[in-house]
Amino acid sequence: MAYDILAFDPGSVTDDADFPVWWDKQLEWSEGHSYDDASVTTPALKEFYKELIQTFPPMNGPHSPTNEEIGANADLEDRLTDYSIGTTVVYGAFAWSQDAMARLLFTSLAAKHGVAVALVSDGGAILRP
């Protein structure tokens, strides 16, 4: 079980009523590219992700830390996050022990970069820029 939260391009879905259908489609992960590569997403989501992984590095993919880096930093392993990146979405599955810090950083960076957030593990509230 993970603490799940996602950022998305606010223009990709129009309102809260349309969101569940849109999100179900995203969960098919059928876009035909690697979902650990931020080059496929929007410029705003790329910048959002670039800052986010400074605190919560990815478990997999091109920006994940090495075993040596994890071994040298005692709390790094707790902050490793499983990301899935689509053309209009950055989805993060954080360790539950990191939920408060993840939510705070995620929402503040989303506001900074003008992307929307769905608080999946917090009742599904949607925050728009």
Side-chain angles (χ1 to χ4, degrees), residues 3-68:
Y3 177 75
D4 301 326
I5 188 169
L6 69 105
F8 62 97
D9 174 26
S12 62
V13 59
T14 56
D15 62 27
D16 294 353
D18 293 336
F19 183 82
V21 172
W22 175 85
W23 180 228
D24 284 344
K25 180 69 176 163
Q26 299 306 304
L27 286 172
E28 293 174 9
W29 307 116
S30 60
E31 292 178 355
H33 57 74
S34 170
Y35 280 88
D36 62 7
D37 181 4
S39 71
V40 302
T41 199
T42 68
L45 285 168
K46 280 180 204 169
E47 291 303 312
F48 163 84
Y49 177 75
K50 183 178 169 183
E51 283 194 60
L52 184 62
I53 65 172
Q54 299 305 307
T55 303
F56 292 100
M59 285 181 170
N60 305 299
H63 301 288
S64 60
T66 66
N67 288 337
E68 292 78 24

Short mmCIF file of all heavy atoms in Angstrom, two decimals, residues 3-68:
data_model
loop_
_atom_site.label_atom_id
_atom_site.label_comp_id
_atom_site.label_asym_id
_atom_site.label_seq_id
_atom_site.Cartn_x
_atom_site.Cartn_y
_atom_site.Cartn_z
N TYR A 3 1.09 5.79 -0.53
CA TYR A 3 0.41 7.08 -0.53
C TYR A 3 0.46 7.60 -1.96
O TYR A 3 1.52 7.90 -2.49
CB TYR A 3 1.08 8.06 0.43
CG TYR A 3 0.43 9.42 0.38
CD1 TYR A 3 -0.81 9.62 0.98
CD2 TYR A 3 1.03 10.47 -0.31
CE1 TYR A 3 -1.43 10.86 0.89
CE2 TYR A 3 0.41 11.71 -0.38
CZ TYR A 3 -0.81 11.89 0.21
OH TYR A 3 -1.43 13.12 0.12
N ASP A 4 -0.69 7.67 -2.63
CA ASP A 4 -0.78 8.00 -4.05
C ASP A 4 -1.26 9.42 -4.26
O ASP A 4 -2.24 9.86 -3.65
CB ASP A 4 -1.73 7.04 -4.76
CG ASP A 4 -1.31 5.59 -4.64
OD1 ASP A 4 -0.10 5.33 -4.62
OD2 ASP A 4 -2.19 4.72 -4.59
N ILE A 5 -0.59 10.09 -5.17
CA ILE A 5 -0.95 11.47 -5.52
C ILE A 5 -0.51 11.70 -6.96
O ILE A 5 0.44 11.09 -7.43
CB ILE A 5 -0.28 12.46 -4.53
CG1 ILE A 5 -0.76 13.89 -4.70
CG2 ILE A 5 1.22 12.35 -4.59
CD1 ILE A 5 -0.31 14.83 -3.57
N LEU A 6 -1.22 12.56 -7.67
CA LEU A 6 -0.80 12.81 -9.05
C LEU A 6 -0.93 14.28 -9.41
O LEU A 6 -1.77 14.99 -8.87
CB LEU A 6 -1.58 11.95 -10.04
CG LEU A 6 -3.06 12.25 -10.23
CD1 LEU A 6 -3.27 12.95 -11.55
CD2 LEU A 6 -3.85 10.96 -10.21
N ALA A 7 -0.06 14.68 -10.30
CA ALA A 7 -0.11 16.01 -10.90
C ALA A 7 -0.52 15.80 -12.35
O ALA A 7 -0.15 14.81 -12.98
CB ALA A 7 1.25 16.69 -10.81
N PHE A 8 -1.29 16.75 -12.87
CA PHE A 8 -1.71 16.60 -14.26
C PHE A 8 -1.88 17.97 -14.91
O PHE A 8 -2.05 18.99 -14.24
CB PHE A 8 -2.99 15.76 -14.37
CG PHE A 8 -4.21 16.32 -13.68
CD1 PHE A 8 -5.15 17.04 -14.38
CD2 PHE A 8 -4.41 16.09 -12.32
CE1 PHE A 8 -6.28 17.55 -13.74
CE2 PHE A 8 -5.55 16.58 -11.67
CZ PHE A 8 -6.47 17.31 -12.39
N ASP A 9 -1.83 17.96 -16.22
CA ASP A 9 -2.05 19.17 -17.00
C ASP A 9 -3.50 19.59 -16.80
O ASP A 9 -4.42 18.82 -17.10
CB ASP A 9 -1.76 18.86 -18.47
CG ASP A 9 -2.10 20.01 -19.39
OD1 ASP A 9 -2.09 21.17 -18.94
OD2 ASP A 9 -2.38 19.75 -20.58
N PRO A 10 -3.74 20.79 -16.27
CA PRO A 10 -5.12 21.19 -15.97
C PRO A 10 -6.00 21.28 -17.22
O PRO A 10 -7.23 21.18 -17.11
CB PRO A 10 -4.97 22.56 -15.30
CG PRO A 10 -3.61 23.02 -15.60
CD PRO A 10 -2.77 21.81 -15.89
N GLY A 11 -5.43 21.39 -18.39
CA GLY A 11 -6.21 21.43 -19.62
C GLY A 11 -6.60 20.06 -20.15
O GLY A 11 -7.37 19.95 -21.10
N SER A 12 -6.11 18.99 -19.53
CA SER A 12 -6.37 17.65 -20.04
C SER A 12 -7.73 17.08 -19.63
O SER A 12 -8.23 16.16 -20.25
CB SER A 12 -5.26 16.68 -19.60
OG SER A 12 -5.22 16.58 -18.20
N VAL A 13 -8.33 17.64 -18.58
CA VAL A 13 -9.65 17.22 -18.14
C VAL A 13 -10.35 18.46 -17.58
O VAL A 13 -9.74 19.25 -16.86
CB VAL A 13 -9.58 16.04 -17.12
CG1 VAL A 13 -8.80 16.41 -15.90
CG2 VAL A 13 -10.94 15.49 -16.79
N THR A 14 -11.62 18.63 -17.94
CA THR A 14 -12.28 19.90 -17.68
C THR A 14 -12.83 20.10 -16.28
O THR A 14 -12.80 21.19 -15.77
CB THR A 14 -13.43 20.12 -18.69
OG1 THR A 14 -14.32 19.01 -18.61
CG2 THR A 14 -12.89 20.28 -20.08
N ASP A 15 -13.37 19.07 -15.65
CA ASP A 15 -13.94 19.29 -14.32
C ASP A 15 -13.92 18.01 -13.50
O ASP A 15 -13.56 16.95 -13.99
CB ASP A 15 -15.35 19.87 -14.40
CG ASP A 15 -16.35 18.97 -15.09
OD1 ASP A 15 -16.17 17.74 -15.09
OD2 ASP A 15 -17.33 19.49 -15.63
N ASP A 16 -14.32 18.14 -12.24
CA ASP A 16 -14.30 17.01 -11.32
C ASP A 16 -15.18 15.85 -11.80
O ASP A 16 -14.87 14.69 -11.57
CB ASP A 16 -14.73 17.44 -9.93
CG ASP A 16 -13.74 18.41 -9.29
OD1 ASP A 16 -12.67 18.63 -9.88
OD2 ASP A 16 -14.05 18.94 -8.22
N ALA A 17 -16.27 16.17 -12.48
CA ALA A 17 -17.17 15.12 -12.96
C ALA A 17 -16.52 14.29 -14.06
O ALA A 17 -16.77 13.08 -14.15
CB ALA A 17 -18.48 15.74 -13.46
N ASP A 18 -15.69 14.91 -14.89
CA ASP A 18 -15.01 14.19 -15.97
C ASP A 18 -13.76 13.47 -15.50
O ASP A 18 -13.26 12.57 -16.16
CB ASP A 18 -14.61 15.16 -17.09
CG ASP A 18 -15.80 15.75 -17.82
OD1 ASP A 18 -16.88 15.13 -17.82
OD2 ASP A 18 -15.65 16.85 -18.38
N PHE A 19 -13.25 13.85 -14.35
CA PHE A 19 -11.96 13.32 -13.88
C PHE A 19 -11.94 11.80 -13.73
O PHE A 19 -10.99 11.16 -14.19
CB PHE A 19 -11.54 14.00 -12.57
CG PHE A 19 -10.21 13.52 -12.10
CD1 PHE A 19 -9.04 14.08 -12.62
CD2 PHE A 19 -10.09 12.50 -11.16
CE1 PHE A 19 -7.80 13.62 -12.21
CE2 PHE A 19 -8.86 12.05 -10.75
CZ PHE A 19 -7.71 12.61 -11.28
N PRO A 20 -12.94 11.17 -13.10
CA PRO A 20 -12.85 9.71 -12.92
C PRO A 20 -12.70 8.94 -14.23
O PRO A 20 -11.93 7.98 -14.32
CB PRO A 20 -14.16 9.34 -12.21
CG PRO A 20 -14.54 10.60 -11.50
CD PRO A 20 -14.10 11.72 -12.41
N VAL A 21 -13.42 9.34 -15.27
CA VAL A 21 -13.32 8.67 -16.57
C VAL A 21 -11.93 8.90 -17.16
O VAL A 21 -11.29 7.97 -17.66
CB VAL A 21 -14.43 9.16 -17.53
CG1 VAL A 21 -14.22 8.62 -18.94
CG2 VAL A 21 -15.80 8.79 -16.99
N TRP A 22 -11.46 10.13 -17.09
CA TRP A 22 -10.12 10.46 -17.61
C TRP A 22 -9.06 9.67 -16.85
O TRP A 22 -8.16 9.09 -17.46
CB TRP A 22 -9.88 11.96 -17.47
CG TRP A 22 -8.51 12.40 -17.86
CD1 TRP A 22 -8.08 12.70 -19.12
CD2 TRP A 22 -7.39 12.60 -16.99
NE1 TRP A 22 -6.75 13.07 -19.08
CE2 TRP A 22 -6.30 13.01 -17.79
CE3 TRP A 22 -7.19 12.46 -15.62
CZ2 TRP A 22 -5.05 13.30 -17.26
CZ3 TRP A 22 -5.94 12.74 -15.08
CH2 TRP A 22 -4.89 13.16 -15.90
N TRP A 23 -9.16 9.61 -15.53
CA TRP A 23 -8.15 8.91 -14.72
C TRP A 23 -8.17 7.41 -15.00
O TRP A 23 -7.12 6.78 -15.10
CB TRP A 23 -8.36 9.22 -13.24
CG TRP A 23 -7.38 8.56 -12.33
CD1 TRP A 23 -7.68 7.87 -11.20
CD2 TRP A 23 -5.96 8.52 -12.43
NE1 TRP A 23 -6.53 7.42 -10.60
CE2 TRP A 23 -5.45 7.80 -11.34
CE3 TRP A 23 -5.04 9.04 -13.35
CZ2 TRP A 23 -4.10 7.56 -11.13
CZ3 TRP A 23 -3.68 8.81 -13.15
CH2 TRP A 23 -3.22 8.08 -12.06
N ASP A 24 -9.37 6.82 -15.17
CA ASP A 24 -9.45 5.40 -15.52
C ASP A 24 -8.72 5.13 -16.83
O ASP A 24 -8.03 4.11 -16.98
CB ASP A 24 -10.90 4.93 -15.64
CG ASP A 24 -11.56 4.72 -14.28
OD1 ASP A 24 -10.85 4.64 -13.26
OD2 ASP A 24 -12.81 4.63 -14.25
N LYS A 25 -8.84 6.04 -17.78
CA LYS A 25 -8.14 5.89 -19.07
C LYS A 25 -6.62 5.99 -18.86
O LYS A 25 -5.86 5.22 -19.45
CB LYS A 25 -8.62 6.97 -20.05
CG LYS A 25 -7.97 6.93 -21.39
CD LYS A 25 -8.39 5.71 -22.17
CE LYS A 25 -7.79 5.76 -23.56
NZ LYS A 25 -7.82 4.46 -24.21
N GLN A 26 -6.19 6.92 -18.02
CA GLN A 26 -4.75 7.06 -17.75
C GLN A 26 -4.20 5.79 -17.10
O GLN A 26 -3.07 5.39 -17.39
CB GLN A 26 -4.48 8.26 -16.83
CG GLN A 26 -4.89 9.60 -17.38
CD GLN A 26 -4.31 9.88 -18.75
OE1 GLN A 26 -3.10 9.85 -18.94
NE2 GLN A 26 -5.17 10.14 -19.71
N LEU A 27 -4.99 5.17 -16.24
CA LEU A 27 -4.54 3.98 -15.51
C LEU A 27 -4.33 2.76 -16.42
O LEU A 27 -3.77 1.76 -15.98
CB LEU A 27 -5.53 3.62 -14.40
CG LEU A 27 -5.48 4.53 -13.18
CD1 LEU A 27 -6.63 4.22 -12.23
CD2 LEU A 27 -4.14 4.42 -12.47
N GLU A 28 -4.74 2.86 -17.66
CA GLU A 28 -4.45 1.79 -18.62
C GLU A 28 -2.97 1.79 -19.02
O GLU A 28 -2.47 0.80 -19.51
CB GLU A 28 -5.33 1.93 -19.87
CG GLU A 28 -6.80 1.71 -19.58
CD GLU A 28 -7.69 2.00 -20.77
OE1 GLU A 28 -7.17 2.23 -21.90
OE2 GLU A 28 -8.92 2.01 -20.58
N TRP A 29 -2.30 2.94 -18.81
CA TRP A 29 -0.87 3.10 -19.15
C TRP A 29 -0.60 2.54 -20.55
O TRP A 29 0.27 1.71 -20.75
CB TRP A 29 0.03 2.44 -18.10
CG TRP A 29 -0.27 2.90 -16.71
CD1 TRP A 29 -0.74 2.14 -15.69
CD2 TRP A 29 -0.14 4.23 -16.16
NE1 TRP A 29 -0.91 2.90 -14.55
CE2 TRP A 29 -0.54 4.20 -14.81
CE3 TRP A 29 0.29 5.46 -16.69
CZ2 TRP A 29 -0.54 5.32 -13.99
CZ3 TRP A 29 0.28 6.57 -15.87
CH2 TRP A 29 -0.12 6.49 -14.53
N SER A 30 -1.35 3.04 -21.51
CA SER A 30 -1.30 2.49 -22.87
C SER A 30 -0.76 3.48 -23.91
O SER A 30 -1.05 3.33 -25.09
CB SER A 30 -2.70 2.02 -23.27
OG SER A 30 -3.60 3.11 -23.24
N GLU A 31 0.00 4.45 -23.49
CA GLU A 31 0.46 5.48 -24.43
C GLU A 31 1.61 5.03 -25.33
O GLU A 31 1.99 5.76 -26.22
CB GLU A 31 0.86 6.75 -23.67
CG GLU A 31 -0.32 7.45 -23.04
CD GLU A 31 0.07 8.68 -22.25
OE1 GLU A 31 1.27 8.97 -22.09
OE2 GLU A 31 -0.85 9.36 -21.76
N GLY A 32 2.19 3.88 -25.10
CA GLY A 32 3.21 3.37 -26.01
C GLY A 32 4.60 3.96 -25.80
O GLY A 32 5.34 4.12 -26.76
N HIS A 33 4.93 4.32 -24.59
CA HIS A 33 6.26 4.82 -24.27
C HIS A 33 6.64 4.34 -22.88
O HIS A 33 5.80 3.79 -22.15
CB HIS A 33 6.30 6.36 -24.32
CG HIS A 33 5.32 7.02 -23.41
ND1 HIS A 33 5.47 7.09 -22.05
CD2 HIS A 33 4.12 7.60 -23.68
CE1 HIS A 33 4.44 7.71 -21.52
NE2 HIS A 33 3.59 8.02 -22.48
N SER A 34 7.88 4.55 -22.49
CA SER A 34 8.31 4.21 -21.14
C SER A 34 7.67 5.19 -20.16
O SER A 34 7.66 6.39 -20.41
CB SER A 34 9.83 4.30 -21.05
OG SER A 34 10.25 4.21 -19.72
N TYR A 35 7.17 4.70 -19.06
CA TYR A 35 6.52 5.55 -18.08
C TYR A 35 7.47 6.03 -16.98
O TYR A 35 7.04 6.54 -15.96
CB TYR A 35 5.30 4.85 -17.48
CG TYR A 35 4.11 4.95 -18.40
CD1 TYR A 35 3.89 4.00 -19.39
CD2 TYR A 35 3.25 6.03 -18.33
CE1 TYR A 35 2.82 4.11 -20.25
CE2 TYR A 35 2.17 6.15 -19.19
CZ TYR A 35 1.97 5.18 -20.16
OH TYR A 35 0.91 5.30 -21.02
N ASP A 36 8.79 5.89 -17.21
CA ASP A 36 9.76 6.43 -16.25
C ASP A 36 10.62 7.52 -16.87
O ASP A 36 11.66 7.87 -16.36
CB ASP A 36 10.62 5.32 -15.64
CG ASP A 36 11.46 4.58 -16.67
OD1 ASP A 36 11.50 4.98 -17.85
OD2 ASP A 36 12.10 3.59 -16.28
N ASP A 37 10.15 8.08 -17.98
CA ASP A 37 10.90 9.08 -18.72
C ASP A 37 10.09 10.38 -18.81
O ASP A 37 9.07 10.43 -19.50
CB ASP A 37 11.24 8.55 -20.10
CG ASP A 37 12.05 9.51 -20.94
OD1 ASP A 37 12.45 10.60 -20.44
OD2 ASP A 37 12.30 9.19 -22.12
N ALA A 38 10.55 11.41 -18.13
CA ALA A 38 9.81 12.68 -18.09
C ALA A 38 9.82 13.43 -19.42
O ALA A 38 9.07 14.39 -19.58
CB ALA A 38 10.37 13.57 -16.99
N SER A 39 10.62 13.00 -20.38
CA SER A 39 10.66 13.71 -21.66
C SER A 39 9.34 13.62 -22.42
O SER A 39 9.11 14.41 -23.34
CB SER A 39 11.80 13.19 -22.53
OG SER A 39 11.52 11.89 -23.00
N VAL A 40 8.46 12.70 -22.03
CA VAL A 40 7.19 12.52 -22.75
C VAL A 40 6.09 13.46 -22.29
O VAL A 40 5.05 13.56 -22.92
CB VAL A 40 6.68 11.06 -22.64
CG1 VAL A 40 7.71 10.09 -23.17
CG2 VAL A 40 6.27 10.71 -21.22
N THR A 41 6.30 14.18 -21.18
CA THR A 41 5.21 14.96 -20.59
C THR A 41 5.32 16.44 -20.95
O THR A 41 6.22 16.86 -21.67
CB THR A 41 5.15 14.71 -19.06
OG1 THR A 41 3.85 15.11 -18.59
CG2 THR A 41 6.25 15.40 -18.32
N THR A 42 4.41 17.23 -20.45
CA THR A 42 4.35 18.66 -20.77
C THR A 42 5.54 19.40 -20.14
O THR A 42 6.11 18.94 -19.15
CB THR A 42 3.05 19.30 -20.24
OG1 THR A 42 3.09 19.30 -18.81
CG2 THR A 42 1.82 18.56 -20.74
N PRO A 43 5.89 20.56 -20.67
CA PRO A 43 6.99 21.34 -20.07
C PRO A 43 6.77 21.66 -18.59
O PRO A 43 7.70 21.53 -17.78
CB PRO A 43 7.03 22.61 -20.91
CG PRO A 43 6.52 22.18 -22.26
CD PRO A 43 5.43 21.17 -21.94
N ALA A 44 5.56 22.02 -18.21
CA ALA A 44 5.29 22.34 -16.80
C ALA A 44 5.45 21.11 -15.91
O ALA A 44 6.02 21.19 -14.82
CB ALA A 44 3.89 22.93 -16.64
N LEU A 45 4.95 19.97 -16.37
CA LEU A 45 5.09 18.74 -15.59
C LEU A 45 6.54 18.28 -15.53
O LEU A 45 6.98 17.73 -14.52
CB LEU A 45 4.19 17.64 -16.13
CG LEU A 45 2.71 17.80 -15.79
CD1 LEU A 45 1.85 16.83 -16.61
CD2 LEU A 45 2.46 17.61 -14.31
N LYS A 46 7.31 18.51 -16.59
CA LYS A 46 8.75 18.18 -16.57
C LYS A 46 9.46 18.97 -15.48
O LYS A 46 10.26 18.42 -14.72
CB LYS A 46 9.41 18.51 -17.91
CG LYS A 46 9.20 17.51 -18.97
CD LYS A 46 9.91 17.96 -20.24
CE LYS A 46 9.26 17.31 -21.42
NZ LYS A 46 9.70 17.85 -22.69
N GLU A 47 9.19 20.27 -15.41
CA GLU A 47 9.84 21.11 -14.41
C GLU A 47 9.37 20.73 -13.00
O GLU A 47 10.18 20.70 -12.06
CB GLU A 47 9.57 22.59 -14.70
CG GLU A 47 10.28 23.08 -15.94
CD GLU A 47 11.78 22.87 -15.89
OE1 GLU A 47 12.40 23.22 -14.86
OE2 GLU A 47 12.35 22.36 -16.87
N PHE A 48 8.11 20.44 -12.85
CA PHE A 48 7.55 19.97 -11.58
C PHE A 48 8.29 18.71 -11.14
O PHE A 48 8.78 18.62 -10.00
CB PHE A 48 6.05 19.71 -11.77
CG PHE A 48 5.43 18.86 -10.70
CD1 PHE A 48 5.01 19.42 -9.52
CD2 PHE A 48 5.27 17.50 -10.89
CE1 PHE A 48 4.43 18.63 -8.53
CE2 PHE A 48 4.69 16.71 -9.92
CZ PHE A 48 4.27 17.28 -8.73
N TYR A 49 8.39 17.73 -12.02
CA TYR A 49 9.04 16.45 -11.72
C TYR A 49 10.52 16.65 -11.40
O TYR A 49 11.04 16.06 -10.44
CB TYR A 49 8.85 15.51 -12.90
CG TYR A 49 9.54 14.18 -12.76
CD1 TYR A 49 9.02 13.20 -11.93
CD2 TYR A 49 10.69 13.89 -13.48
CE1 TYR A 49 9.64 11.97 -11.80
CE2 TYR A 49 11.32 12.67 -13.36
CZ TYR A 49 10.79 11.71 -12.52
OH TYR A 49 11.42 10.48 -12.40
N LYS A 50 11.18 17.48 -12.17
CA LYS A 50 12.61 17.75 -11.96
C LYS A 50 12.88 18.24 -10.54
O LYS A 50 13.83 17.82 -9.90
CB LYS A 50 13.08 18.78 -12.99
CG LYS A 50 14.53 19.11 -12.96
CD LYS A 50 14.83 20.10 -14.08
CE LYS A 50 16.20 20.69 -13.97
NZ LYS A 50 16.45 21.69 -15.02
N GLU A 51 12.02 19.10 -10.03
CA GLU A 51 12.18 19.59 -8.66
C GLU A 51 11.75 18.55 -7.63
O GLU A 51 12.39 18.39 -6.59
CB GLU A 51 11.39 20.88 -8.44
CG GLU A 51 12.06 22.09 -9.05
CD GLU A 51 11.46 23.37 -8.54
OE1 GLU A 51 11.50 23.61 -7.31
OE2 GLU A 51 10.94 24.13 -9.38
N LEU A 52 10.68 17.83 -7.90
CA LEU A 52 10.17 16.84 -6.98
C LEU A 52 11.19 15.75 -6.68
O LEU A 52 11.37 15.33 -5.53
CB LEU A 52 8.88 16.23 -7.54
CG LEU A 52 8.13 15.23 -6.67
CD1 LEU A 52 7.65 15.87 -5.37
CD2 LEU A 52 6.96 14.65 -7.45
N ILE A 53 11.89 15.30 -7.71
CA ILE A 53 12.82 14.18 -7.51
C ILE A 53 14.09 14.58 -6.77
O ILE A 53 14.87 13.71 -6.38
CB ILE A 53 13.16 13.46 -8.84
CG1 ILE A 53 13.92 14.35 -9.80
CG2 ILE A 53 11.89 12.88 -9.45
CD1 ILE A 53 14.44 13.63 -11.04
N GLN A 54 14.27 15.87 -6.52
CA GLN A 54 15.40 16.30 -5.69
C GLN A 54 15.21 15.82 -4.25
O GLN A 54 16.18 15.54 -3.55
CB GLN A 54 15.58 17.82 -5.73
CG GLN A 54 15.88 18.37 -7.11
CD GLN A 54 17.08 17.70 -7.75
OE1 GLN A 54 18.15 17.65 -7.17
NE2 GLN A 54 16.89 17.20 -8.96
N THR A 55 13.96 15.73 -3.81
CA THR A 55 13.64 15.26 -2.47
C THR A 55 13.16 13.81 -2.47
O THR A 55 13.52 13.04 -1.59
CB THR A 55 12.55 16.16 -1.83
OG1 THR A 55 13.03 17.50 -1.83
CG2 THR A 55 12.23 15.73 -0.41
N PHE A 56 12.36 13.47 -3.47
CA PHE A 56 11.80 12.12 -3.59
C PHE A 56 12.27 11.49 -4.90
O PHE A 56 11.56 11.52 -5.89
CB PHE A 56 10.27 12.17 -3.54
CG PHE A 56 9.72 12.57 -2.21
CD1 PHE A 56 9.30 13.87 -1.97
CD2 PHE A 56 9.65 11.65 -1.18
CE1 PHE A 56 8.79 14.24 -0.74
CE2 PHE A 56 9.15 12.01 0.06
CZ PHE A 56 8.73 13.31 0.29
N PRO A 57 13.47 10.91 -4.90
CA PRO A 57 14.01 10.36 -6.13
C PRO A 57 13.22 9.13 -6.60
O PRO A 57 12.59 8.44 -5.79
CB PRO A 57 15.45 9.97 -5.77
CG PRO A 57 15.48 9.89 -4.30
CD PRO A 57 14.39 10.77 -3.76
N PRO A 58 13.25 8.87 -7.90
CA PRO A 58 12.52 7.72 -8.43
C PRO A 58 13.18 6.39 -8.09
O PRO A 58 14.41 6.30 -8.02
CB PRO A 58 12.53 7.97 -9.94
CG PRO A 58 13.74 8.81 -10.17
CD PRO A 58 13.92 9.64 -8.94
N MET A 59 12.35 5.38 -7.90
CA MET A 59 12.85 4.02 -7.68
C MET A 59 13.52 3.47 -8.93
O MET A 59 14.45 2.69 -8.84
CB MET A 59 11.70 3.07 -7.32
CG MET A 59 11.15 3.21 -5.98
SD MET A 59 9.83 1.98 -5.80
CE MET A 59 9.56 2.12 -4.07
N ASN A 60 12.97 3.84 -10.07
CA ASN A 60 13.39 3.28 -11.36
C ASN A 60 13.63 4.40 -12.35
O ASN A 60 13.15 5.51 -12.18
CB ASN A 60 12.30 2.35 -11.91
CG ASN A 60 11.92 1.28 -10.94
OD1 ASN A 60 12.74 0.48 -10.55
ND2 ASN A 60 10.66 1.27 -10.53
N GLY A 61 14.32 4.06 -13.41
CA GLY A 61 14.47 5.01 -14.49
C GLY A 61 15.76 5.78 -14.47
O GLY A 61 16.64 5.54 -13.64
N PRO A 62 15.86 6.72 -15.38
CA PRO A 62 17.14 7.40 -15.61
C PRO A 62 17.64 8.25 -14.45
O PRO A 62 18.83 8.51 -14.37
CB PRO A 62 16.87 8.26 -16.85
CG PRO A 62 15.40 8.37 -16.96
CD PRO A 62 14.83 7.15 -16.31
N HIS A 63 16.79 8.67 -13.54
CA HIS A 63 17.24 9.55 -12.45
C HIS A 63 17.25 8.84 -11.10
O HIS A 63 17.38 9.50 -10.07
CB HIS A 63 16.36 10.80 -12.39
CG HIS A 63 16.39 11.58 -13.65
ND1 HIS A 63 17.49 12.31 -14.05
CD2 HIS A 63 15.48 11.71 -14.64
CE1 HIS A 63 17.25 12.87 -15.22
NE2 HIS A 63 16.03 12.52 -15.60
N SER A 64 17.12 7.52 -11.10
CA SER A 64 17.11 6.79 -9.82
C SER A 64 18.52 6.70 -9.25
O SER A 64 19.50 6.63 -9.99
CB SER A 64 16.52 5.39 -10.01
OG SER A 64 17.28 4.64 -10.93
N PRO A 65 18.63 6.75 -7.93
CA PRO A 65 19.95 6.68 -7.30
C PRO A 65 20.56 5.28 -7.43
O PRO A 65 19.83 4.28 -7.54
CB PRO A 65 19.67 7.03 -5.84
CG PRO A 65 18.23 6.77 -5.63
CD PRO A 65 17.56 6.92 -6.96
N THR A 66 21.86 5.24 -7.37
CA THR A 66 22.57 3.96 -7.39
C THR A 66 22.50 3.30 -6.02
O THR A 66 22.17 3.95 -5.02
CB THR A 66 24.06 4.17 -7.76
OG1 THR A 66 24.68 4.92 -6.70
CG2 THR A 66 24.21 4.89 -9.10
N ASN A 67 22.82 2.03 -5.97
CA ASN A 67 22.88 1.32 -4.69
C ASN A 67 23.89 1.97 -3.76
O ASN A 67 23.67 2.03 -2.55
CB ASN A 67 23.21 -0.15 -4.90
CG ASN A 67 22.05 -0.92 -5.51
OD1 ASN A 67 20.90 -0.51 -5.41
ND2 ASN A 67 22.36 -2.02 -6.15
N GLU A 68 24.98 2.48 -4.31
CA GLU A 68 26.00 3.15 -3.50
C GLU A 68 25.45 4.44 -2.90
O GLU A 68 25.70 4.74 -1.74
CB GLU A 68 27.25 3.45 -4.34
CG GLU A 68 28.02 2.22 -4.78
CD GLU A 68 27.38 1.48 -5.96
OE1 GLU A 68 26.61 2.09 -6.76
OE2 GLU A 68 27.63 0.26 -6.08
#
